[in-house]
């Protein structure tokens, strides 16, 4: 009997204990769900949209891209450390004084180098016009000039060095456009490589309109009408010609049986715009003709 009572009592205690445990499990489960929701909401990052600029915000100004002419002087190294000379041609352009000026600058260590060259830049300036650079390049010193430069360098008279290089082949003229305005046209016997020449066309305000670079490494004799105007002072073919009334240039059209035929084109200018038209004249040669590029218009 006592044993049965004990078993009954034990079962009663076990039931009460289990009931108490079940109660404890239900309470945490009811409060845990809201806590998990709060936690998950805190972990979600806020979406970041585009920031609204302040009322007084002003965008940075945009600058136009530099033109070919604007970047010409960038081609001359910063370490040039000596002036070497200059030469110029003066013109009356639309009633205004204009000077086409070539300035030579060197790196002094080049004096003892072979080949030896000087950098140059060509600018147009004059009445109410600051210098506008229209060409840059590299000119190679001939034997006579190089001997003179090295002699002065050896005697410690570098500051007294002064020379001209282009002389007779530095030509400049005005050219009358179809609009009645004068334009500037000039040539120099140089560019960036040896045995070259350059034709340049610009406005009276120093705006570069066009240029043409000629390779004179081949000795070319032309046959045709008035070929002398296509030759420089050394007898080399320039393949371009100009004066107050015309600007013309030659372009290869065919080579047959060793004979090269070149067609002549004349330039017309109106409101700073350049066009080329055929003149009807042709020239021939049996010499090797270098590659002749078209006029570069800017």
């Amino acid at each position: 009997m006592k044993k049965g009572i004990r078993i009954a009592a034990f079962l009663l205690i076990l039931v009460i204990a289990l009931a108490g445990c079940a109660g404890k499990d239900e309470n945490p489960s009811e409060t845990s769900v809201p806590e998990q929701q709060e936690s998950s909401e805190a972990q979600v990052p806020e979406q970041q949209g585009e920031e609204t600029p302040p009322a007084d915000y002003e965008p940075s100004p945009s600058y136009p891209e530099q033109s070919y002419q604007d970047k010409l002087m960038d081609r001359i190294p910063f370490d040039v450390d000596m002036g070497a000379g200059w030469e110029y041609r003066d013109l009356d352009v639309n009633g205004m004084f204009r000077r086409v000026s070539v300035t030579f600058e060197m790196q002094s260590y080049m004096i003892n180098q072979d080949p030896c060259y000087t950098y140059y830049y060509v600018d147009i300036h004059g009445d109410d016009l600051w210098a506008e650079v229209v060409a840059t390049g590299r000119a190679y010193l001939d034997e006579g000039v190089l001997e003179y430069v090295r002699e002065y360098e050896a005697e410690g008279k570098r500051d007294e060095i002064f020379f001209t290089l282009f002389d007779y082949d530095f030509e400049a003229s005005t050219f009358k456009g179809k609009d009645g305005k004068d334009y500037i046209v000039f040539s120099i016997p140089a560019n960036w490589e040896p045995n070259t020449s350059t034709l340049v066309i610009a406005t009276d305000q120093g705006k570069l309109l066009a240029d043409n670079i000629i390779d004179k490494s081949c000795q070319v004799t032309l046959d045709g009408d008035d070929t002398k105007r296509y030759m420089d002072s050394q007898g080399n073919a320039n393949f371009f010609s100009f004066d107050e009334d015309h600007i013309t240039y030659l372009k290869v059209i065919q080579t047959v049986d060793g004979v090269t035929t070149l067609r002549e084109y004349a330039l017309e200018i109106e409101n700073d715009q350049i066009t080329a038209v055929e003149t009807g004249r042709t020239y021939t040669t049996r010499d090797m003709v270098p590659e002749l590029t078209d006029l570069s218009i800017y």
Side-chain angles (χ1 to χ4, degrees):
M1 184 69 179
K2 290 182 180 180
K3 182 177 181 180
I5 294 172
R6 288 178 179 176
I7 293 173
F10 174 77
L11 291 174
L12 180 61
I13 293 171
L14 180 61
V15 170
I16 294 172
L18 290 174
C21 290
K24 289 180 181 180
D25 288 340
E26 289 177 1
N27 290 336
S29 65
E30 291 176 357
T31 58
S32 64
V33 173
E35 289 178 358
Q36 289 176 355
Q37 290 176 348
E38 292 176 2
S39 175
S40 62
E41 289 176 358
Q43 291 175 0
V44 176
E46 295 182 359
Q47 294 183 351
Q48 296 181 356
E50 295 183 0
E51 294 184 1
T52 302
D56 59 350
Y57 170 78
E58 293 184 4
S60 300
S62 58
Y63 298 97
E65 184 179 354
Q66 283 189 313
S67 67
Y68 171 81
Q69 183 175 2
D70 293 333
K71 295 184 287 187
L72 284 172
M73 284 299 290
D74 295 342
R75 304 184 68 184
I76 296 180
F78 287 109
D79 62 345
V80 291
D81 58 356
M82 59 175 287
W86 69 86
E87 49 190 309
Y88 59 86
R89 302 290 182 267
D90 291 340
L91 299 171
D92 185 322
V93 188
N94 297 316
M96 298 177 291
F97 168 73
R98 290 293 181 262
R99 172 168 289 178
V100 183
S101 177
V102 181
T103 301
F104 301 107
E105 295 181 336
M106 291 185 66
Q107 299 153 314
S108 56
Y109 68 82
M110 283 298 302
I111 293 176
N112 295 313
Q113 302 293 314
D114 289 309
C116 180
Y117 55 78
T118 176
Y119 294 97
Y120 70 83
Y121 62 88
V122 187
D123 70 72
I124 297 173
H125 61 270
D127 294 340
D128 302 321
L129 177 66
W130 292 100
E132 296 289 342
V133 175
V134 292
T136 57
R138 188 167 52 186
Y140 291 77
L141 278 59
D142 61 32
E143 184 176 343
V145 174
L146 183 55
E147 181 179 352
Y148 153 75
V149 169
R150 287 176 175 172
E151 179 181 339
Y152 268 57
E153 172 73 4
E155 294 175 0
K157 298 189 292 185
R158 180 188 299 172
D159 293 342
E160 300 179 34
I161 292 175
F162 182 93
F163 57 71
T164 61
L165 294 178
F166 297 161
D167 300 327
Y168 297 111
D169 290 320
F170 176 18
E171 300 181 62
S173 174
T174 57
F175 173 75
K176 186 69 70 176
K178 294 181 68 176
D179 52 10
K181 296 189 300 184
D182 289 336
Y183 292 87
I184 298 171
V185 54
F186 68 88
S187 66
I188 52 175
N191 196 263
W192 283 92
E193 299 301 326
N195 301 314
T196 54
S197 61
T198 305
L199 173 74
V200 178
I201 303 172
T203 69
D204 60 6
Q205 297 302 306
K207 177 185 176 183
L208 177 63
L209 297 182
D211 61 25
N212 194 18
I213 302 163
I214 300 298
D215 178 0
K216 297 192 297 184
S217 58
C218 300
Q219 298 295 318
V220 179
T221 300
L222 297 171
D223 294 320
D225 181 35
D226 192 14
T227 58
K228 185 177 180 180
R229 63 194 178 98
Y230 283 108
M231 300 295 175
D232 63 17
S233 65
Q234 305 299 316
N236 299 311
N238 268 337
F239 302 102
F240 59 71
S241 173
F242 65 88
D243 60 21
E244 293 181 354
D245 301 317
H246 80 278
I247 305 174
T248 58
Y249 70 98
L250 304 179
K251 186 176 179 180
V252 174
I253 56 174
Q254 67 176 11
T255 300
V256 179
D257 296 332
V259 177
T260 299
T261 302
L262 303 97
R263 179 174 291 151
E264 183 181 71
Y265 293 83
L267 299 182
E268 297 177 348
I269 309 177
E270 184 173 13
N271 298 323
D272 297 356
Q273 302 299 311
I274 298 177
T275 56
V277 296
E278 295 182 15
T279 66
R281 284 192 293 266
T282 59
Y283 295 80
T284 60
T285 183
R286 288 190 172 274
D287 298 323
M288 180 180 293
V289 178
E291 180 179 357
L292 300 178
T293 59
D294 286 329
L295 192 75
S296 297
I297 298 176
Y298 305 104

